Structures are given as structure tokens and as C-alpha cells.
Amino acid sequence: MDILGLVCGLALFLYGMDAMGAGLKKSAGGKLKTILGKLTASKFKGFLLGLAVTAIIQSSSATTVMVVGFVNSGTMLLSQAISVIMGANVGTAVTAWLTALNGIEGGADATAFLSYLKPDSWMPILALIGMCLIMFAKRDKTKNVGTILMGFAILMVGMTLMSDAVSGLKNNEDFTQILLLFKNPILGVLAGTALTAIVQSSSASIGILQALSVTGAISYATAIPIILGQNIGTCVTAMISSISANKNGKRTAVAHLYFNVIGVAFWLLMYYLVGWIFGMTGLIDIFEIANGNTINMWGIAAVHTIFKLLAVGLMWPFTKLLEKLATSTIKGSDKKGDEYTAMLDERLLETPSVAIENARIVACKMSEISFGSFRKSIGLFEKYDSRLMDEIRNEEDKVDIYEDELGSYLVKISAKPLPESDSADVTKFLHMIGDFERISDHAVNVIESVEEMRDKNVAFSEYGRADLKVMCDAVNEIIQITEEAFVNSDFQKASLVEPLEQVVDELRDQIKLRHTIRLQKSLCSIEHGFILADILTNLERVSDHCSNIAGCLIEMSKNEKLDIHSYLHDIKEADEAFAENHKMYAEKYALSTVFMDQQ
């Protein structure tokens, strides 16, 4: 039953840690984007970045895997990653201090303050509050707070169960004899490494060691090598994650391993060297003190934190050498691919807010290519350029690749547990990248019309060219407004798209009518009409796609699900700003009356 209790406690501990970390990630999603967006070459700021992120998500392994993903995608340099990893190693010590709360001693001799701090006195209340928030709160942010509280409560319950399960081992000679083996530094380091590699979390393995410390059979001499080994074991997750990474991603994982191995080797050697020197001088027997004093939960947390700070202090001046060591270990260079699609690294899916931000950056690049292609295509009406046509076709192929990669990535993000607002944003991005892809298709359609005109030696009349230029100018402005609104998340600018789209629709109808009049006057031919109709259709469809994109942006700004067609209908009918903007664009892009006057 004690073994079952230990296993059950470990299961609850791991589940509670995972739930608390998930709640923290969701709750700090927007802040996490901001923190991770401030990547800098400054070592100190990189260190603080790693410290802050790990404190938020409660896992140095998760932070390191994220960093591998950043380096793999080209978002972060290896030199930046090393300082972030150092910060992550210190940040993970927070969990050990939280779990050490179980080590508070109550009883008659304890102060009232310490008695109140003991988890048994407040954990049920915390769990009840968390449960109520999860069940009854309506806002995602409040539910996330409930998840954090409930996760922490479950974590502490698991810690208590583990402690209770092993408490029967007090004064057990067999257990004491087993622990004596780990006074051997090599065996202790190997044991700590193996345990952490198995549970895939140094925080969890530290928690297990803290639970075992209640037996009173673990001394400082036994605990120190195990704690140091746990720091090596935490590298396993990043090493496994880096298998599919590029060269720089692998170097990041190797740098993490070297940082911990060198730190452990140096400080363990110093511990025994200093102990030997003091022992030889007869001043003080450090080993006797370490053997004779049992370690408790607070002592484990302290040793864990002190070692991490000492490791950072040791390696801080040598980050460049650490980078060179990792580079010399993983030699060679990667074949250069698309720097933007490389940003869609699946390691970042574990932190959805970061993955969404990277997807947005890639979508911005996709919009730039798509809108740029269409601008080039309508410029061909004034000057034929076969080289530019090939460039537009190549860009259309590139946009297709972006759509496939982004679409797949966004679907994977949507499968993760997301706040409702993030889930809605992912859905909108999926819609918008489809519009970007269609705009690039229309760019190719336009150049096919230009080629047809050249092959058939067809040229529009002076009046036809003037009308077409007005429509092209209007569409050029609508794609410029849409691109700026999307890239800058400028929801105010997005509201300008629909009035201009309405003007484009009106221009299409007017130009068709004017062409019919010219046809009746024998100023144009039927063949002109077919080509003009294709061009006008492509121009109008592009403005429709811009309207779709702007509608998605407006929905995202309101942070609620709208019936966008009803919304647009309502603003056309009753919105004064819409009427004013429509009037402004209608006057700006009015067709010349010279042709009509002459008729």
C-alpha cells in the first residue's frame, strides 16, 4: 500500500504540475508573446527572459524545447539562446520552494504564523476556490486562474501522499543502507540523472527527493550528488526534441547539456576538493558535517537553487566559448530553405500563444507577397514585361506553399487547448490565408489577360484605358489599406476597406456600361469586351477578398463572433462614417465624363 501511495502521489504531483503550468501559460498568453518578442543580444536581458518564461510555465525543459524551436526557426541566435537557457535553469528552482511548503513543521512549539503557512491549513480552501472558478466562471481568464489554483492544490496533495507513503521508512536500516550508496558522487549523479530523465522534469524529481527527505535518512552528503545529477537529467527532453531540428537547433540542445555537465563536474569537484583541503588542515571536517546532518525539504530547495546560481556564475564569462564548443560538436551547415516557413516549428505548439504569433508573422509575409504580386500584375497594363510575369508566377507558387504550411500549422494549433479568443483568432487566420492565396491567383489571371491582349494584338481605346486605370488605382489603394490593417493589426484602418470595396463594385458596373455604349458606337469590339470583363472580374474579386480580410480583422478587434454579412449590411444602412468614407472614395475615383459628354 505504501508503494501504491507513492505512485499515486507521484501521479497527482505530475498532473498538478502539468495543470498548473497549462493554466499559467494560458493566463499569461499575451504577456508571453510580449516577453518572447523582446529577444535581444544582451546576455543579461536574455537571462531575465529565460528566468521569467520558466517562472511562468514552471518547466525549464519546456522553455529549453521552446528555445530549440526558436533557434531552429531562425527567430533566435545561438548566442542569445545560451543566456536564455541559463535563466531557465535558475527559473525552475521556484517549484522546489513551493513544494518545500510541505516541510513546514507544525505543533506546539511552532509559531502561529508558521502553522498558518502549513499547506494542510489552507490547501482545501485553495482547491475549493479553484474548483468554483473552473465550474462557474464565464471568462476564460478567470477559469485559467481556477486551473492554476486547482493544479497547485493537486500538486501539493501529491506531495503529501508521497511524503506519507515513505514516512514509514524512518529508521529503516535497509533503506538507510541503500541511501548510503549514493554518497558515492558518481552513483549519486547517475541516480539523479536517471530519475530526472525518466520523469522528464527536474522539478518533479526534486519533489520526489523532497518527499523522501521526510524519512530523515537523507544527509547533505547523499543529496548533493543526486541534486547535481538531476540538473543533467533535465537536458534529456531538449536532446530528444532536437533530433528533428536543424544544425543550430541541435547546437542549442548540446549547449544546454554542456552547460549543466560542466557546471556539475566543476562544482562537485570543488566540493570534494575544498572538503579534502579543510580536512587535511584539521580546521573543519566538511564531509563529517554533511554526513551527520540530515537534509529537509527547505535544504533541498536551497542546495538546488545555490547550485544553479553557481553554475550560471561559472559559465557567464564563457558563453562565447560554450557557443564555440557546441558549434565544434555539431559541425557543418544546413541547406538554406525558406526562413519564414521555418518559423512554423512544431516544438512551439506546446506554447500556443507563441505558435500563433509566429504564424501571424508568416501570414504577414504571405500577405506581402500576395498583394505585391497583384500590384505588379496591374502595372503590366502600362508596360509589358515577360520577366515580371515569370516572377509573379513564381510568387504564386510560393504563396501556395505558404498556404499549405500555414494551414497545416494552424490546424495543429487549433487542436491544442486554447482560450476562446485565441481559438477564434486561429479560425480567422485560416480564412484570411485562403483570401491571400486567391489574390495571388487573380494576379496570375490578370497576366494571362495581358498575354492574351499581346498575342491577339488587342488594345483598349483611350477611354477604355482611362476607365481601367481608375479602377486599378482604386483596387491598388484597397489592397494597400488591407495589407497595412493586417500587418499592423490596425482595426480602425480595416473599417475603411468596405466603403472602398463598394466603390469598386460601382466602378465595375459603370465601366461595363460605358463599354457597352462604346460597342454600340463601334468604338470597341466584342473581343475587347471579353478581355475587359475578365480583367474587371479579377479586380472586383480582389476587392471582395480584401473585404473578407477586413471583416475578419474587425471580428478579432471586437473579440466576439459576428455575423459579418449582417454587420456589413447594418453599417452600410446606418453608419455615418461609412457614408462619409464612401462619398470620399466615390469622388476620388470618379470616372471621366469627357467620353460621355462627347457622345
Side-chain angles (χ1 to χ4, degrees):
M1 290 304 296
D2 285 341
I3 293 172
L4 288 175
L6 179 63
V7 173
C8 180
L10 178 59
L12 289 174
F13 183 90
L14 293 172
Y15 176 77
M17 182 178 292
D18 184 67
M20 184 172 68
L24 285 164
K25 279 191 278 189
K26 285 184 182 179
S27 183
K31 294 177 184 176
L32 202 57
K33 291 180 190 176
T34 305
I35 293 171
L36 293 170
K38 294 179 179 178
L39 302 179
T40 172
S42 166
K43 285 200 299 181
F44 183 67
K45 289 182 179 179
F47 173 81
L48 293 180
L49 171 69
L51 183 65
V53 172
T54 306
I56 288 171
I57 65 177
Q58 290 288 294
S59 172
S60 63
S61 296
T63 303
T64 307
V65 169
M66 255 199 298
V67 170
V68 171
F70 281 131
V71 176
N72 186 64
S73 64
T75 309
M76 186 185 286
L77 298 175
L78 178 58
S79 56
Q80 293 173 312
I82 290 172
S83 57
V84 175
I85 287 169
M86 289 182 179
N89 272 270
V90 176
T92 193
V94 172
T95 311
W97 290 103
L98 292 175
T99 53
L101 291 172
N102 268 288
I104 295 174
E105 295 293 338
D109 60 338
T111 64
F113 177 71
L114 287 179
S115 296
Y116 288 133
L117 281 180
K118 194 166 177 64
D120 291 348
S121 62
W122 48 266
M123 195 56 64
I125 300 171
L126 197 69
L128 181 62
I129 294 171
M131 182 190 70
C132 291
L133 291 177
I134 292 170
M135 292 181 67
F136 303 117
K138 294 182 179 180
R139 297 178 60 199
D140 282 338
K141 288 184 178 179
T142 310
K143 285 181 179 290
N144 290 336
V145 172
T147 303
I148 294 167
L149 296 179
M150 183 59 81
F152 183 56
I154 294 171
L155 180 151
M156 297 303 282
V157 169
M159 190 72 187
T160 302
L161 283 176
M162 284 195 291
S163 299
D164 292 344
V166 300
S167 61
L169 294 174
K170 287 182 179 179
N171 302 319
N172 184 299
E173 292 186 7
D174 292 335
F175 178 66
T176 304
Q177 289 300 317
I178 292 172
L179 290 178
L180 286 174
L181 295 174
F182 299 119
K183 288 182 180 179
N184 181 307
I186 296 176
L187 287 178
V189 168
L190 290 176
T193 302
L195 177 62
T196 308
I198 290 169
V199 297
Q200 293 280 293
S201 170
S202 62
S203 297
S205 62
I206 286 289
I208 295 170
L209 185 63
Q210 285 176 314
L212 291 172
S213 70
V214 301
T215 62
I218 301 178
S219 66
Y220 277 87
T222 302
I224 289 172
I226 294 174
I227 292 170
L228 268 58
Q230 287 167 332
N231 285 274
I232 297 175
T234 195
C235 301
V236 170
T237 308
M239 292 297 292
I240 294 172
S241 173
S242 70
I243 291 173
S244 60
N246 59 23
K247 301 284 187 184
N248 277 330
K250 288 182 172 67
R251 286 169 187 147
T252 306
V254 168
H256 182 217
L257 178 64
Y258 281 148
F259 169 77
N260 282 290
V261 169
I262 293 171
V264 167
F266 180 83
W267 288 115
L268 193 63
L269 180 63
M270 287 298 295
Y271 167 70
Y272 284 100
L273 181 61
V274 170
W276 178 77
I277 291 172
F278 274 88
M280 290 294 290
T281 58
L283 294 175
I284 186 172
D285 193 336
I286 293 176
F287 298 129
E288 185 63 31
I289 294 173
N291 284 325
N293 284 277
T294 58
I295 195 168
N296 58 19
M297 292 186 181
W298 296 102
I300 290 171
V303 170
H304 184 52
T305 304
I306 291 169
F307 165 72
K308 287 180 176 295
L309 291 173
L310 288 174
V312 170
L314 171 68
M315 299 303 296
W316 188 262
F318 305 109
T319 52
K320 289 292 183 184
L321 290 176
L322 189 61
E323 182 182 352
K324 288 180 180 178
L325 183 59
T327 304
S328 62
T329 303
I330 307 296
K331 297 180 179 179
S333 58
D334 295 295
K335 293 180 180 178
K336 288 189 177 181
D338 188 279
E339 60 180 313
Y340 285 93
T341 54
M343 293 179 69
L344 306 177
D345 195 294
E346 293 195 13
R347 295 167 190 81
L348 304 180
L349 293 173
E350 295 307 313
T351 314
S353 61
V354 177
I356 292 171
E357 179 61 19
N358 271 25
R360 191 193 70 80
I361 293 170
V362 178
C364 286
K365 181 62 179 178
M366 182 181 178
S367 71
E368 178 190 324
I369 297 171
S370 180
F371 288 130
S373 290
F374 199 80
R375 286 192 193 94
K376 294 172 188 174
S377 70
I378 58 180
L380 291 168
F381 292 129
E382 296 182 3
K383 183 180 179 182
Y384 185 89
D385 187 336
S386 59
R387 182 193 58 79
L388 196 59
M389 289 179 174
D390 291 338
E391 188 176 309
I392 292 169
R393 286 191 170 96
N394 289 333
E395 287 176 342
E396 196 272 335
D397 291 338
K398 193 170 187 178
V399 168
D400 286 345
I401 293 171
Y402 273 48
E403 185 192 28
D404 290 341
E405 296 281 347
L406 258 176
S408 299
Y409 196 69
L410 288 167
V411 167
K412 289 175 183 176
I413 294 174
S414 66
K416 298 291 180 180
L418 298 172
E420 191 174 337
S421 58
D422 281 352
S423 181
D425 287 353
V426 169
T427 302
K428 295 304 169 191
F429 278 129
L430 280 167
H431 284 301
M432 287 189 281
I433 63 172
D435 288 306
F436 295 144
E437 192 276 332
R438 290 298 298 136
I439 289 171
S440 70
D441 286 343
H442 287 299
V444 174
N445 293 344
V446 168
I447 65 174
E448 287 174 352
S449 295
V450 172
E451 287 176 329
E452 184 180 0
M453 290 173 64
R454 183 179 177 85
D455 292 342
K456 295 181 178 179
N457 198 25
V458 172
F460 294 129
S461 66
E462 176 187 349
Y463 302 114
R465 289 197 302 273
D467 288 353
L468 187 58
K469 185 178 186 309
V470 172
M471 181 127 174
C472 286
D473 289 344
V475 173
N476 210 5
E477 181 165 356
I478 200 172
I479 62 178
Q480 180 181 345
I481 293 171
T482 306
E483 183 178 8
E484 290 177 2
F486 178 73
V487 171
N488 301 318
S489 298
D490 190 336
F491 308 116
Q492 190 64 35
K493 183 154 280 190
S495 65
L496 298 175
V497 172
E498 192 59 30
L500 184 50
E501 193 275 335
Q502 189 79 8
V503 169
V504 170
D505 286 349
E506 293 163 2
L507 282 172
R508 175 202 58 193
D509 296 337
Q510 291 173 27
I511 292 172
K512 283 185 176 181
L513 176 61
R514 287 157 72 95
H515 173 75
T516 301
I517 295 173
R518 288 197 295 272
L519 194 62
Q520 291 171 349
K521 301 295 182 180
S522 300
L523 297 175
C524 288
S525 66
I526 292 289
E527 196 167 31
H528 285 88
F530 291 144
I531 297 174
L532 180 62
D534 287 341
I535 293 171
L536 293 177
T537 296
N538 283 295
L539 291 170
E540 189 272 333
R541 292 278 171 80
V542 166
S543 73
D544 285 344
H545 289 299
C546 289
S547 175
N548 293 340
I549 294 165
C552 287
L553 291 171
I554 291 168
E555 278 195 82
M556 291 166 73
S557 71
K558 294 183 178 294
N559 206 18
E560 58 180 303
K561 192 169 184 179
L562 302 173
D563 182 343
I564 199 65
H565 295 294
S566 298
Y567 171 78
L568 293 175
H569 178 269
D570 292 341
I571 64 170
K572 288 177 185 178
E573 293 293 324
D575 191 81
E576 291 183 7
F578 177 89
E580 289 176 5
N581 289 323
H582 177 268
K583 182 181 177 182
M584 175 190 70
Y585 287 126
E587 291 174 355
K588 183 177 181 179
Y589 295 109
L591 296 174
S592 173
T593 59
V594 174
F595 164 71
M596 300 303 293
D597 292 341
Q598 289 179 351
Q599 299 306 310

